[in-house]
Amino acid sequence: MERNVFETATLTDSQPETNENFEQLILKADDLASDGDLGSAYLVYLRASKHKEFKPSNLSKLIDCLVENLKMAQQISNDLFSTLTCEICYGLLIDPVTVDCGHTFCNSCLSGIVNCNICQNVVTPDFNRNLNVLLNKLIRGWIPEYKDILDRRKRVEALLVNKMYNECLEIIEESLKLGLEKHIYLSMRSRLHMENGRGDSALKDAERVINLKPNWIKAHYHLGEILIQLGYTEEAIRSYMTGLSLNPDNPDLRETISQRMFQFIKTSTPEEALRANVAKSSMIRQRTHIHDPEDSIDNIKRKLDDAQLPMEEINCSLCWRMLFEPSTTVCGHTFCKECLKRSLDHSPNCPLCKSSLVQMLKHRLFSTDKIFELIVKHFYPQQYSEHYSELLTESLCVSGISDREMKVPIFVCVVTFPGVRCPLHIFEPRYRLMVRRCIENGSRTFGMVRPMSDNSYANIGTLMYIEDVTYLPDGRSLIITQGSKRFTVLDRSYVDGYNVANVRILEDEPIPEAERQDTMNLHDQVLEQSREWLATLSESRRSKISQQNGDIPSPGLTEDEIKEKDGPIWLWWLISSLPLEEQYKINLLEKNNLTQRLRFIQSVLKYLSEMQQQR
Amino acid sequence: MAGGLPRRIIKETQRLMAEPVPGIKAVPDEGNARYFHVIVEGPAESPFEGGTFKLELFLPEEYPMSAPKVRFMTKIYHPNIDKLGRICLDILKDKWSPALQIRTVLLSIQALLSAPNPDDPLENDVAEQWKVNEAQAIATAKQWTKMYATRG
Ligand SMILES: [Zn+2]
Ligand SMILES: [Zn+2]
Ligand SMILES: [Zn+2]
Ligand SMILES: [Zn+2]
C-alpha cells in the first residue's frame, strides 16, 4: 500500500497551487494521515506549508499519526528492578522523592520539573519535599551498590557544574568499565563530545545509549538534538518522534517536534520530504550496534530477585497493618491513605514527624504512592487483596439487610424530613470520617436523628442523601443533603467513634379508597391555610427558611402522590419550616398516616393564625 | 459492637502481654478490652520508689486517633498529678499522635514519676511546695508512697 503511494505520487501533485484553500488542504492532509496514507498526507502538508497561514500547530494530526505508527511494543516489566527505576534518568532511584501525583523520582532529577514526567500532573513548586523515608531505606538495604552509585552521580554532577571536563571524563570512563548505569555515563560523555566539537563520537555514544535503554525518552531527544546540530534534520525528527511515541502526552517534546517538523517541511523540497517520510520503516538509519553489557546492573537485578521484605518493614504506623493504598506525605512519611486522612481529621500534622501538612490538606493531595503500591503487591499480593476486602466491610456505610431493613451510619444532629434539603457543616473528626466514607463507597447516604437529653438519640430519623460536598482548606466540609426515607432505629452500635444503627424503613399506611376524597379535601384546606401562614411571615423570616430548607416544593396532591409512602413533599417542607418543638416534629415524622399528619398541622396552623389575630 | 475491636488494639494488647514494659503491668479488663488495669512500680531513686501505683487506662472509640485516657487510682503526691488522679502529660493532650501507642504512654508516665515537672503543674499546691522546698516535698511524696502505695 504505502509503496504504491510513493510510486504514484508525482512531483506535479505537490506544486503549490495558490488557489487552493488552506483550511481544506490541512483537512485533506489530516484525513489522509488518519487513513494511514502518510506518504500522500506528507505531500499535501507540504503544499499547505507554502501558505503563509501555516503554523506548527497544523501538524498536530500528522504527529499523532506518526506517533501511533511508531509506538513500540513497550516492555512493561514487573520486576522489582524496573519498579525502582526513575522515569527521568532511567537509572536507579537515588534519593527518592514522591510528588503530588504519587510518582517518585530522584531528588536531583526533579529540579526544574513542573509536570510529572509520567502522568503530566502538576508538581506543586512551593512544597518543601523530603526524601521518601521508607523507600529510601528499602532501596539502600536491597542494593549494596547504592552508595557507590550515589557518590558517582554526585561527583560527576559537581564536576560538570564546575566545567571540569577532564576529571569528569575520568569518572565516566571508570563507571563505564564497571558497567554501572552505563546509559547515564554514555549520555554524559556524548554531551561532552558534542561540546568539544566531536560530533561523530557524540552520535556514536548517543546511539549506544538508545541500544541500552530504548524506552528512555530523554535518549531519543538527546539523539535528535545531536542530529539537528549535525544537519541530519529528517533523522532528528524521527528520533524525536520515537521519543514522543513513548509518551505522546509529553508537552515539551511535542512542542519541539512541531517546531522542528514545521521548519523542515517549510524548507524542504518534495523529494526531500518523501525521502524523509518518517513513518517508513526502511528509513530507520543503520545504527551503531555495540553489545553493551551492564555487568553490575545485571548483578543488582539478580540480587533483587532474592530481595526480602519482612512485613514489619511495611507496616503502617497508624493501623499497625501492612500498608494499604500507601500515601506518602511531603515530609516523606508513608501511611495507608485512609489512615492518613483519618489522622488529618484530628490534626493537620504528620503523625510521625509533626510537620505541617496543611498545604497537602488544602490541595487534597492524597495520591497513592505508586512505587509503594507495586512493592507491597510484589511481596504480598494475596495479603493485599485480602486487606482490601476486609477494609470494604470495615468502612461500613449503608448496607442492606433486606429491602426494608439496613445498617446505616448515624449523624446525631437535627430532625430532618423526606424530600427536604438540609445544609450541614461537618467539622467533628468522627463525622468527617463518616461523610468521607459515605462519599467514597458511593452510597452517599446516612441516617439523621435528633439527640436526646440522656446522651443518646431519637428512635426515629430520616435517611439523608449527600448531594454536594465542598471541602474547606482545613479539612472541614460543607455538605448539602436531602432527606429521603424515614426510619425506626432497631439497634445501635459504634464504628470508629460514630454511631451506626440497624434501621427499618418507615412508610405511610395506604389510605383506604373510600377515604381518599376526604384526604384530598383536607389536603387542599391545609395547603390554603399554610399559604396564608406563609404570607404573614416577614421577608427576612421567609428568606431564612428558604436558606435552610430550600424553596417550597411544588405544592399539590395528585392521585399518585396520595399513594406515595411519604406523602406530599411540600408538607414535610412545611413541617420543617413551622415554629414547632422538635419533639412534635419527631412525632410527625413517626406518624405513618397522611390524614393524621394533615389534621395535626391544620390545628397548628389554626393556632398560629389565632395568635396572629390576637396581636 | 459492630466492627469489633480494631486489629491494632488487639496487636498492642498482645505485644504488651508478650513484652511488657519493665516495671509496668497492664492487663485488659475481662469484660471490656478497651479498659486496662495498670500497675506502675515507683522508679528507683525517685520519691516513689518502693510504691506500686494503680492506674486505669481507657482507649476511647476513636483510639488511636485520639489519646488514651489515663488516671491514677492510687493517691500520689506529685506536681503533675491532681487529687482525682488526672495526669498532666502533653502526649495525653495536644501532643498526642496516632503513631504513639499504649507502650509510649506508659513509658512517659514512668518517666514523669522519675522527673516531676513543677513548672508545668496540675496540682498548684504541690508544685508550689516542690519549688519552694523541694526537700520537704520529696519527703511528703515518700510519706504518701508509704501510706498509700505500699501493700500491707
Ligand atoms: Zn532519576
Ligand atoms: Zn505522576
Ligand atoms: Zn494504616
Ligand atoms: Zn512526616
Side-chain angles (χ1 to χ4, degrees), chain A residues 317-321 339 342-343 346 351-352 354 390 407 429-430 493-497, chain B residues 1-3 6-8 11-12 15 61-62 64-66 94-99 101:
Chain A
S317 54
L318 304 185
C319 64
W320 285 34
R321 307 173 70 167
C339 292
R342 282 189 66 184
S343 174
H346 290 257
L352 279 175
K354 304 274 175 191
E390 274 173 40
K407 189 160 211 163
R430 54 186 177 145
S493 49
Y494 285 104
V495 167
D496 298 323
Chain B
M1 194 149 286
R7 186 170 298 208
R8 161 156 171 180
K11 279 196 198 168
E12 277 202 62
R15 263 199 61 194
E61 266 297 321
E62 287 180 286
M65 296 306 159
S66 43
D94 55 321
K95 292 283 161 51
W96 171 254
S97 150
Q101 34 174 306

Coordinates of all heavy atoms in Angstrom, one line a residue, chain A residues 317-321 339 342-343 346 351-352 354 390 407 429-430 493-497, chain B residues 1-3 6-8 11-12 15 61-62 64-66 94-99 101:
Chain A
S317 N 2.2 2.8 60.6 CA 2.4 3.1 62.0 C 1.1 3.5 62.7 O 1.0 3.7 63.9 CB 3.5 4.2 62.2 OG 3.1 5.3 61.5
L318 N 0.0 3.7 61.9 CA -1.2 4.1 62.5 C -2.2 2.9 62.7 O -2.7 2.8 63.8 CB -1.9 5.1 61.6 CG -1.1 6.4 61.3 CD1 -1.9 7.4 60.5 CD2 -0.6 7.0 62.6
C319 N -2.3 2.0 61.7 CA -3.2 0.9 62.0 C -2.5 -0.4 62.3 O -3.1 -1.4 62.6 CB -4.1 0.7 60.7 SG -3.2 0.2 59.3
W320 N -1.1 -0.3 62.2 CA -0.3 -1.5 62.5 C -0.6 -2.7 61.6 O -0.4 -3.8 62.0 CB -0.5 -1.9 64.0 CG 0.1 -1.1 65.0 CD1 0.3 0.3 64.9 CD2 0.7 -1.4 66.2 NE1 0.9 0.7 66.0 CE2 1.2 -0.3 66.9 CE3 0.9 -2.7 66.9 CZ2 1.8 -0.3 68.1 CZ3 1.5 -2.7 68.1 CH2 2.0 -1.5 68.7
R321 N -1.0 -2.3 60.4 CA -1.2 -3.4 59.4 C -0.3 -3.1 58.2 O 0.2 -2.0 58.1 CB -2.7 -3.5 59.0 CG -3.6 -3.6 60.2 CD -5.0 -3.5 59.8 NE -5.4 -4.7 59.0 CZ -6.7 -4.9 58.7 NH1 -7.6 -4.1 59.1 NH2 -7.0 -6.0 58.1
C339 N -5.8 5.9 56.7 CA -5.2 6.2 58.0 C -4.8 7.6 58.0 O -5.0 8.4 59.0 CB -4.1 5.3 58.4 SG -4.6 3.6 58.6
R342 N -7.7 10.0 58.2 CA -8.3 10.0 59.5 C -7.5 10.8 60.5 O -8.0 11.5 61.3 CB -8.5 8.5 60.0 CG -9.6 7.8 59.3 CD -9.9 6.5 60.0 NE -10.3 6.7 61.4 CZ -10.5 5.7 62.2 NH1 -10.3 4.4 61.8 NH2 -10.9 5.9 63.4
S343 N -6.2 10.6 60.4 CA -5.3 11.3 61.3 C -5.5 12.8 61.0 O -5.5 13.6 62.0 CB -3.9 10.9 61.1 OG -3.0 11.7 61.9
H346 N -8.1 14.8 62.7 CA -7.9 15.2 64.0 C -6.8 16.3 64.2 O -6.9 17.1 65.1 CB -7.5 14.0 64.9 CG -8.6 13.1 65.1 ND1 -9.4 13.0 66.2 CD2 -9.2 12.2 64.2 CE1 -10.3 12.1 66.1 NE2 -10.2 11.5 64.9
P351 N 1.7 12.5 61.6 CA 1.7 11.7 62.9 C 3.1 11.3 63.3 O 3.3 11.1 64.5 CB 0.9 10.5 62.6 CG 0.1 10.8 61.3 CD 0.9 11.8 60.6
L352 N 4.0 11.2 62.4 CA 5.4 10.8 62.8 C 6.3 11.9 63.1 O 7.0 11.9 64.1 CB 6.0 9.9 61.7 CG 5.5 8.5 61.7 CD1 6.1 7.7 60.5 CD2 5.9 7.8 63.0
K354 N 5.4 15.4 62.8 CA 4.7 16.6 63.2 C 4.8 17.8 62.2 O 4.4 18.9 62.5 CB 5.2 17.1 64.6 CG 5.1 16.1 65.7 CD 3.7 16.1 66.3 CE 3.5 15.0 67.3 NZ 2.2 14.8 67.7
E390 N -11.3 -6.9 53.5 CA -11.6 -6.6 54.9 C -12.0 -5.1 55.1 O -12.9 -4.8 55.8 CB -10.4 -6.9 55.7 CG -10.3 -8.3 56.2 CD -8.9 -8.6 56.9 OE1 -8.5 -7.7 57.6 OE2 -8.3 -9.6 56.6
K407 N -28.3 -1.3 57.6 CA -27.4 -0.8 58.5 C -26.9 0.5 58.0 O -26.4 0.6 56.9 CB -26.3 -1.8 58.7 CG -25.4 -1.4 59.9 CD -24.6 -2.6 60.3 CE -24.3 -2.5 61.8 NZ -23.9 -3.8 62.4
P429 N -14.2 15.4 63.9 CA -13.4 14.4 63.2 C -14.2 13.1 62.8 O -14.1 12.6 61.8 CB -12.3 14.1 64.2 CG -12.1 15.3 65.0 CD -13.5 15.9 65.0
R430 N -15.0 12.7 63.8 CA -15.7 11.4 63.5 C -16.7 11.6 62.4 O -16.9 10.6 61.6 CB -16.5 10.9 64.8 CG -17.4 11.9 65.4 CD -18.0 11.4 66.7 NE -18.8 12.4 67.3 CZ -19.9 12.1 68.0 NH1 -20.2 10.8 68.1 NH2 -20.6 13.0 68.6
S493 N -25.1 0.7 67.5 CA -23.7 0.4 67.9 C -22.8 1.5 67.4 O -23.2 2.5 66.9 CB -23.3 -1.0 67.2 OG -23.6 -1.0 65.9
Y494 N -21.4 1.3 67.5 CA -20.5 2.3 67.1 C -19.5 1.7 66.1 O -19.2 0.5 66.1 CB -19.6 2.6 68.3 CG -20.2 3.5 69.3 CD1 -20.6 2.9 70.5 CD2 -20.3 4.8 69.1 CE1 -21.1 3.7 71.5 CE2 -20.8 5.6 70.1 CZ -21.2 5.1 71.3 OH -21.7 5.8 72.3
V495 N -19.0 2.6 65.2 CA -17.8 2.3 64.4 C -16.9 3.4 64.4 O -17.3 4.6 64.1 CB -18.2 2.0 62.9 CG1 -17.0 1.9 62.0 CG2 -18.9 0.6 62.8
D496 N -15.6 3.2 64.8 CA -14.6 4.3 64.8 C -15.1 5.6 65.3 O -14.8 6.7 64.7 CB -14.1 4.5 63.3 CG -13.4 3.2 62.8 OD1 -12.8 2.5 63.6 OD2 -13.6 2.9 61.6
G497 N -15.9 5.6 66.4 CA -16.2 6.8 67.0 C -17.6 7.4 66.6 O -18.1 8.3 67.3
Chain B
M1 N -20.8 -5.2 69.5 CA -20.3 -4.0 68.9 C -19.8 -4.1 67.5 O -19.0 -5.0 67.2 CB -19.1 -3.5 69.8 CG -18.8 -2.0 69.5 SD -18.2 -1.2 71.0 CE -19.6 -1.0 72.0
A2 N -20.4 -3.3 66.6 CA -20.1 -3.5 65.2 C -18.6 -3.3 64.9 O -18.0 -2.4 65.5 CB -20.9 -2.6 64.4
G3 N -18.1 -4.0 63.9 CA -16.7 -3.8 63.6 C -15.7 -4.5 64.5 O -14.6 -4.7 64.2
P6 N -10.7 -3.0 66.9 CA -9.7 -2.7 65.8 C -8.5 -3.6 66.0 O -8.0 -3.8 67.1 CB -9.3 -1.3 66.0 CG -10.5 -0.7 66.7 CD -11.0 -1.7 67.6
R7 N -8.0 -4.1 64.9 CA -6.8 -5.0 64.9 C -5.6 -4.4 65.6 O -4.9 -5.1 66.3 CB -6.4 -5.4 63.5 CG -5.4 -6.4 63.4 CD -5.2 -6.9 62.0 NE -6.4 -7.5 61.6 CZ -6.5 -8.5 60.6 NH1 -5.4 -8.9 60.1 NH2 -7.6 -9.0 60.2
R8 N -5.5 -3.1 65.5 CA -4.3 -2.5 66.2 C -4.4 -2.7 67.7 O -3.4 -2.9 68.3 CB -4.3 -1.0 65.8 CG -3.5 -0.3 66.8 CD -2.9 1.0 66.3 NE -2.3 1.7 67.4 CZ -1.7 2.9 67.3 NH1 -1.6 3.5 66.2 NH2 -1.2 3.4 68.4
K11 N -3.4 -6.1 68.5 CA -2.0 -6.3 68.4 C -1.2 -5.7 69.5 O -0.3 -6.2 70.1 CB -1.5 -5.8 67.1 CG -1.7 -6.7 65.9 CD -0.8 -6.2 64.7 CE -1.3 -6.7 63.4 NZ -0.6 -6.0 62.3
E12 N -1.6 -4.5 69.9 CA -1.0 -3.8 71.0 C -1.1 -4.5 72.3 O -0.1 -4.7 73.1 CB -1.6 -2.4 71.2 CG -1.0 -1.3 70.2 CD -1.2 0.1 70.8 OE1 -0.6 0.4 71.9 OE2 -1.9 0.9 70.1
R15 N 1.2 -7.5 72.3 CA 2.6 -7.1 72.5 C 2.9 -6.7 73.9 O 3.9 -7.0 74.4 CB 3.0 -6.0 71.5 CG 3.7 -6.6 70.3 CD 4.5 -5.5 69.6 NE 5.5 -4.9 70.4 CZ 6.2 -3.8 70.1 NH1 5.8 -3.1 69.0 NH2 7.1 -3.3 70.8
E61 N -13.3 5.2 71.7 CA -13.8 4.7 70.4 C -12.8 5.2 69.3 O -12.6 4.4 68.3 CB -15.2 5.2 70.1 CG -16.3 4.2 70.5 CD -16.2 2.9 69.7 OE1 -15.9 2.9 68.5 OE2 -16.4 1.8 70.4
E62 N -12.4 6.4 69.4 CA -11.6 6.9 68.3 C -10.1 6.6 68.4 O -9.3 7.1 67.5 CB -11.8 8.5 68.2 CG -13.2 8.8 67.6 CD -13.4 10.2 67.5 OE1 -13.6 10.9 68.5 OE2 -13.4 10.8 66.4
P64 N -6.8 4.9 67.7 CA -5.6 5.7 68.1 C -5.7 7.2 67.6 O -4.7 7.9 67.8 CB -4.4 5.0 67.5 CG -5.0 4.5 66.2 CD -6.4 4.1 66.5
M65 N -6.8 7.6 67.0 CA -6.8 9.0 66.5 C -6.9 9.9 67.7 O -6.4 11.0 67.6 CB -8.0 9.2 65.6 CG -7.9 8.3 64.3 SD -6.3 8.6 63.5 CE -6.1 7.2 62.5
S66 N -7.6 9.5 68.8 CA -7.5 10.3 70.0 C -6.8 9.5 71.1 O -6.7 8.3 71.0 CB -8.8 10.8 70.4 OG -9.8 9.8 70.4
D94 N -2.6 17.7 73.7 CA -2.4 18.2 72.3 C -1.2 17.6 71.6 O -1.2 17.6 70.4 CB -2.2 19.8 72.4 CG -1.1 20.2 73.3 OD1 -1.0 19.5 74.4 OD2 -0.4 21.1 73.0
K95 N -0.3 17.0 72.3 CA 0.9 16.4 71.6 C 0.6 14.9 71.3 O 1.5 14.2 70.8 CB 2.1 16.5 72.5 CG 2.6 17.9 72.7 CD 3.3 18.4 71.5 CE 3.5 19.9 71.3 NZ 4.0 20.6 72.5
W96 N -0.6 14.5 71.4 CA -0.9 13.1 71.1 C -0.8 12.9 69.6 O -1.1 13.8 68.8 CB -2.3 12.7 71.5 CG -2.7 11.4 70.9 CD1 -3.6 11.1 69.9 CD2 -2.2 10.1 71.3 NE1 -3.7 9.8 69.7 CE2 -2.8 9.1 70.5 CE3 -1.3 9.6 72.3 CZ2 -2.5 7.7 70.7 CZ3 -1.0 8.3 72.4 CH2 -1.6 7.3 71.6
S97 N -0.2 11.8 69.1 CA -0.2 11.4 67.7 C -0.6 10.0 67.6 O -0.2 9.1 68.4 CB 1.2 11.6 67.2 OG 1.5 10.7 66.1
P98 N -1.3 9.6 66.6 CA -1.8 8.2 66.4 C -0.6 7.3 66.2 O -0.8 6.1 66.2 CB -2.7 8.3 65.2 CG -2.4 9.5 64.5 CD -1.9 10.5 65.6
A99 N 0.6 7.9 65.9 CA 1.8 7.0 65.8 C 2.3 6.5 67.1 O 3.1 5.7 67.2 CB 2.8 7.7 65.0
Q101 N 1.7 4.9 71.1 CA 0.9 3.7 71.5 C 0.8 3.6 73.0 O 1.4 4.5 73.7 CB 1.6 2.5 70.9 CG 3.1 2.6 70.8 CD 3.7 1.4 70.4 OE1 3.5 0.3 71.0 NE2 4.6 1.4 69.4

